[in-house]
Amino acid sequence: MAIECLVLGAGQEVGKSCVVVTFGGGKRVMFDCGMHMGHHDNRRYPDFDRLLADGAADYTAAISCVVITHFHLDHIGALPYFTEVCGYHGPVYMTYPTKALAPLMLEDYRKVMVDHRGEEEQYSYEDILRCMRKVIPLDLKQTIQVDKDLSIRAYYAGHVLGAAMIYAKVGDAAIVYTGDYNMTPDRHLGAAQIDRLKLDLLITESTYAKTVRDSKHAREREFLKAVHKCVSGGGKVLIPAFALGRAQELCILLDDYWERMNLKIPIYFSAGLTIQANMYYKMLIGWTSQKIKNSYTVHNPFDFKHVCHFERSFINNPGPCVLFATPGMISGGFSLEVFKKWAPSEKNLVTLPGYCVAGTIGHKLMSGKPTRIDIDKDTHIDVRCQIHQLSFSPHTDSKGIMDLTEFLSPSHVILVHGEKPQMAFLKERIESELGMQCCYPANNETVSIPTSQNLKINATEKFIVSFCMDETENDPQKQNLNFGGDMPQGCRTEGVAEGVLLMEKSKTPKILREDELLHSLGMETHFVHFEPLHPSSIEVKHTGESAVQQSSLEHLDCE
């Protein structure tokens, strides 16, 4: 038996996460259904037609279910297209917070692409609502029986509110697909948590496959110092961030700093979307960090004292300010509009708090300090502002990936959601340091993973007691002990005992002592007696068919 993994997205890249896993028996699970933020053509979505390559009539027949790990667009952005345009009508699973917040993210992106960029609409707002009605919500550590063979279970992943790692099992074959996760807690979310599981395969993100981060407190100090220096000099700070996740983390940090420093400079959110998001954060407080839960009874940390709504007319206002604007990679929308206005001034600062996908303006800014950026053939931006890059990314780093992999100890590892050179480095580490087979397939490649099959075997009481011969060989009472499934007191729990494995059709295999075999088969023991010419006699014991065939012999003469 083998597990087949078809990587439809996030293979040797970050973007449009989508991995389709086929278990023995034809069970097929699609993990995530994302879009690529750096593409605006047919490369933005996974190549779903590959699901029909084996002759399936439609997408609903092709897969058993879809499981979404969290609400970021590179993990969920293609879902309404897959369900409402491509016609998949099977079960879709995600956690309660993801189901609540995903429509906000999807509609915000749709409006940016269609209303502001004039792109052709891929799916409508009504499509988003119809898609969400198909979703079956998951709770943490809740085992869902998709059908009689396939079960899934969600574990806390950190990263963003509601993010989950997914455990899936069919028969004896079991895997974990991590989605995005964080192995260290931050100000508003806890660290990823998962049980120790017996796995054939771990499919893990590898965004920071080669990075080991320094102290979180040191990064926070550096960030606050850069922001304070800019606003003290009369400059404006642009923080491109998605409205859900890093925005809340950094707002907690800045709100606390503004309070301690008694600063009166305004901090703005650019979108009403964030007001909605904060409402959900307040409602879903149980998914946040323990520190947030503990303080919630006294003060809701998402009620920001120094943060207020930003109007479009404020862009040209004089004086310093801090602005959170979406989207986070400056791939379009309001963050791009503000960047065009503020980038030419040396007093201003753009600080990039997270990972930016190749092809976005954020990625170009992180790759060096360009003096000019070409948006298109007619639009150019002079970049004289300061550029500050500091990782507040909610992804785990290289150490976290290694720690999780070692903890779960799977037979095989597949790396996704990362850049190829860094993935190659991490693969070598996993294989050399942990002794596990590892690969990082490209998009549209299939990897076959062999699985071990467990065989349940009963054991007779006499065979089990044979472990205890040191204790029982001189004690007839213990040799005949009936212990009803519990080991006798003093019995060895480790060791070697020889026995016979009996496998009969339509019966559970069992292991027994050699002297129990014939009785178990309903046969009698037969003996052949040899009478040599010399006085001494030899007795030979035979069992099985050969003994039956020779049992009619009474005497043999030996020369």
Side-chain angles (χ1 to χ4, degrees), residues 509-546:
K510 64 180 176 180
I511 190 165
L512 59 164
R513 287 195 345 190
E514 184 181 353
D515 58 2
E516 298 179 277
L517 178 62
L518 290 183
H519 177 71
S520 179
L521 295 175
M523 300 175 63
E524 296 182 2
T525 304
H526 297 266
F527 294 92
V528 177
H529 295 277
F530 294 86
E531 292 189 2
L533 294 178
H534 50 81
S536 62
S537 63
I538 301 172
E539 183 181 276
V540 180
K541 178 181 176 182
H542 294 266
T543 61
E545 185 180 347
S546 62

Side-chain angles (χ1 to χ4, degrees), residues 382-444:
D382 291 326
V383 182
R384 298 189 184 91
C385 65
Q386 306 163 60
I387 308 296
H388 187 260
Q389 178 190 349
L390 193 63
S391 179
F392 281 96
S393 174
H395 295 271
T396 192
D397 63 0
S398 178
K399 181 180 183 303
I401 298 170
M402 292 293 288
D403 287 347
L404 179 72
T405 304
E406 183 176 18
F407 175 77
L408 291 175
S409 296
S411 301
H412 298 79
V413 180
I414 290 179
L415 304 178
V416 294
H417 201 286
E419 296 174 352
K420 186 176 179 179
Q422 285 74 25
M423 295 168 110
F425 173 82
L426 185 61
K427 164 189 156 68
E428 293 301 320
R429 284 197 64 194
I430 289 172
E431 291 185 338
S432 63
E433 296 178 27
L434 302 180
M436 301 169 192
Q437 295 185 47
C438 180
C439 62
Y440 51 101
N443 284 342
N444 299 321

Side-chain angles (χ1 to χ4, degrees), residues 21-254:
V21 177
T22 303
F23 295 86
K27 303 301 176 183
R28 213 178 203 186
V29 182
M30 177 185 286
F31 294 97
D32 283 334
C33 189
M35 64 176 299
H36 198 294
M37 302 296 290
H39 297 310
H40 303 292
D41 52 22
N42 60 357
R43 293 174 296 169
R44 87 174 81 201
Y45 292 147
D47 184 4
F48 296 123
D49 285 346
R50 294 184 65 90
L51 297 173
L52 306 179
D54 60 356
D58 53 37
Y59 296 116
T60 306
I63 58 176
S64 305
C65 68
V66 176
V67 189
I68 303 296
T69 58
H70 63 287
F71 57 67
H72 279 160
L73 292 173
D74 61 327
H75 294 259
I76 198 175
L79 185 64
Y81 180 82
F82 187 54
T83 61
E84 307 312 307
V85 180
C86 297
Y88 170 74
H89 300 301
V92 179
Y93 297 94
M94 61 185 73
T95 65
Y96 286 91
T98 302
K99 183 177 181 179
L101 294 165
L104 304 180
M105 296 291 286
L106 291 166
E107 173 59 8
D108 183 62
Y109 175 77
R110 189 199 66 80
K111 286 197 295 189
V112 167
M113 292 298 103
V114 176
D115 297 345
H116 296 297
R117 296 185 60 155
E119 290 196 12
E120 181 182 351
E121 186 173 76
Q122 300 292 311
Y123 48 77
S124 67
Y125 178 62
E126 289 72 25
D127 287 334
I128 295 171
L129 297 181
R130 281 192 290 268
C131 173
M132 288 298 115
R133 283 197 286 268
K134 293 180 172 71
V135 171
I136 303 166
L138 289 173
D139 209 346
L140 292 177
K141 295 194 175 183
Q142 175 191 9
T143 300
I144 295 288
Q145 204 68 39
V146 178
D147 57 35
K148 66 183 182 65
D149 300 312
L150 170 63
S151 62
I152 59 174
R153 188 159 64 241
Y155 289 94
Y156 190 84
H159 188 64
V160 293
L161 196 71
M165 297 184 279
I166 305 298
Y167 169 74
K169 189 172 188 290
V170 174
D172 295 322
I175 77 162
V176 162
Y177 173 85
T178 67
D180 296 344
Y181 63 103
N182 196 351
M183 292 292 284
T184 56
D186 57 27
R187 287 176 174 262
H188 80 294
L189 294 175
Q193 298 178 8
I194 192 168
D195 295 332
R196 195 181 296 274
L197 303 163
K198 185 178 186 302
L199 300 178
D200 295 291
L201 173 64
L202 171 66
I203 305 173
T204 176
E205 69 132 310
S206 52
T207 315
Y208 290 100
K210 207 173 179 180
T211 302
V212 178
R213 293 199 191 97
D214 55 5
S215 160
K216 178 169 71 77
H217 296 295
R219 279 179 280 135
E220 289 179 347
R221 284 195 302 270
E222 185 180 340
F223 169 76
L224 293 171
K225 181 179 177 181
V227 170
H228 197 164
K229 180 180 179 182
C230 177
V231 296
S232 297
K236 303 178 190 296
V237 180
L238 171 62
I239 306 176
F242 291 105
L244 303 171
R246 289 309 87 188
Q248 282 71 26
E249 176 77 6
L250 295 177
C251 275
I252 292 173
L253 177 62
L254 284 174

